Amino acid sequence: MSKDNIIKLLQPGNVDDQLTEILRNGARALLAQAVEAEVADFLGKHADLKTADGHQRVVRHGHLPEREVMDGVGPVGVRQPRVRDREAEATDPDRIRFSPSILPPYMRRSKSIETLLPILYLKGISTGDFSEALAALLGKDAAGLSASAIGRLKDGWLDEHTAWQRRDLSAKRYVYIWADGIHLQARLEDEKQCILVLIGATPEGRKELVGFTDGARESAQDWRDLLLDLKRRGLGVPPRLTIADGALGFWKAAGEVWPKTREQRCWVHKTANVIAKLPKSQQPKAKRALQEIWMAETKAAAELAFDAFIESYTPKYEKAADCLSKDRDTLLAFYDFPAEHWKHLRTTNPIESTFATVRHRTIRSKGCLSNRTALAMVFKLLEAAQKSWRRLDGHNQFPKLVLGVTFNDGIEVIAKPTDRQPITAAA
């Protein structure tokens, strides 16, 4: 039995967390296995290459020095296998090189950490407090995330956002554009605490961030400035349809900049607005009645359900009926587009779902962010989110929309060929 009564005390900043250590060791092992599998595949692809004396040309050549990659479980050490091309000098630009895709050169932190940093910034954590905050999350060995490193990252994000705002759009076209104004809880330096966002659907059916800026949600001037900026940078072809809530500022600006573009009101916002004008006892039934409208298989059936709602609720709840009836045409515009797209067109969900994480993870801090800094942080979060956006359903219908094909009740209208006139033979 040991008589040693020396007790090892934890050092400040250390946490005796066996689970974290297990996760870190597991991450290290999985990363090593992934890199080894990639190098084995690389060598297999070059197995047929031989040197002049008949030996294998591309072979393993030890490992590079270990480096740490910062991940969600803290720093994870990894050694990258080294590959040698026996037929080329080290300085030969044509020599065969190995660079694992899972572990790019000079990568020091994972993509999840790149996303974490702007979130913390939006939460009001100052540059000088990042080291302490990250040490609590990732451990005291969170190397490379000092105040100066955070400052350099922030400067880089500002430059990336500026370059993105000035990008050429002349080769771009968007069939649909969703618009919304998102209020962040992070305080900005002036009163414009709304982020105006545009997300578009390309002719290939992919969603892209088109533009965003700070502004007032109901301000037609701020929306107009954003739309005109896109036009000046080359976005000359207007979208076929824009989807937004009832913000009058956007619709006024869109009507001036894109006068021929169809309008679709968001059914989620409209349902909430109508329900708010009814007593709680009537709300469940009214919600079902509204659902019967936008879930109808045809526009004619939707019109009947629409009329039924107005007739039922006008006598006692005129404000609710008027709230619905005033946007009748723009609520039913989606019926003139492919049925596969309806679930995407009835709501501004592409924007709402993207900003849900941003909105919920930002709080009002004692200080405030400059508008330029806040926009750069939001840009980085959107850039990360954009990589996971999935393709829209019915993407094969987009080329038809680009060509101007007409749809009725979601089905393509086949133009009938013009009857040929009989040709009379000359006498």
Side-chain angles (χ1 to χ4, degrees), residues 142-156:
L145 297 174
S146 61
S148 58
I150 295 297
R152 287 192 298 271
L153 279 174
K154 188 185 79 169
D155 292 340

Side-chain angles (χ1 to χ4, degrees), residues 90-151:
T91 56
D92 188 347
D94 295 327
R95 73 185 177 94
I96 299 175
R97 303 167 183 265
F98 171 68
S99 178
S101 59
I102 196 173
L103 193 66
Y106 311 112
M107 188 182 83
R108 294 293 182 181
R109 57 184 65 88
S110 71
K111 294 298 182 183
S112 61
I113 299 300
E114 296 288 356
T115 303
L116 172 64
L117 298 181
I119 289 175
L120 292 179
Y121 216 107
L122 285 171
K123 288 176 81 69
I125 296 178
S126 65
T127 303
D129 293 335
F130 260 86
S131 295
E132 182 179 351
L134 290 169
L137 290 171
L138 307 175
K140 69 180 185 65
D141 297 323
L145 297 174
S146 61
S148 58
I150 295 297

Side-chain angles (χ1 to χ4, degrees), residues 121-122 154-163 165-166 188-190 195 212 214 369-379:
Y121 216 107
L122 285 171
K154 188 185 79 169
D155 292 340
W157 295 335
L158 291 170
D159 293 340
E160 289 175 26
H161 178 228
T162 300
Q165 283 185 308
R166 297 173 180 173
L188 305 185
E189 63 184 356
D190 59 29
I195 306 295
F212 76 98
D214 57 326
L369 299 175
S370 70
N371 287 41
R372 183 166 178 256
T373 298
L375 288 174
M377 299 303 107
V378 171
F379 169 70

Side-chain angles (χ1 to χ4, degrees), residues 164-165 167-170 174 177 198 209-212 223-236 257-258:
W164 181 83
Q165 283 185 308
R167 74 196 189 285
D168 180 29
L169 296 174
S170 57
Y174 299 100
I177 283 185
L198 297 173
L209 179 63
V210 180
F212 76 98
W223 280 113
R224 187 184 297 109
D225 289 344
L226 177 57
L227 298 182
L228 289 176
D229 178 60
L230 299 176
K231 198 171 183 179
R232 283 191 293 267
R233 288 190 282 121
L235 191 61
V257 180
W258 298 325

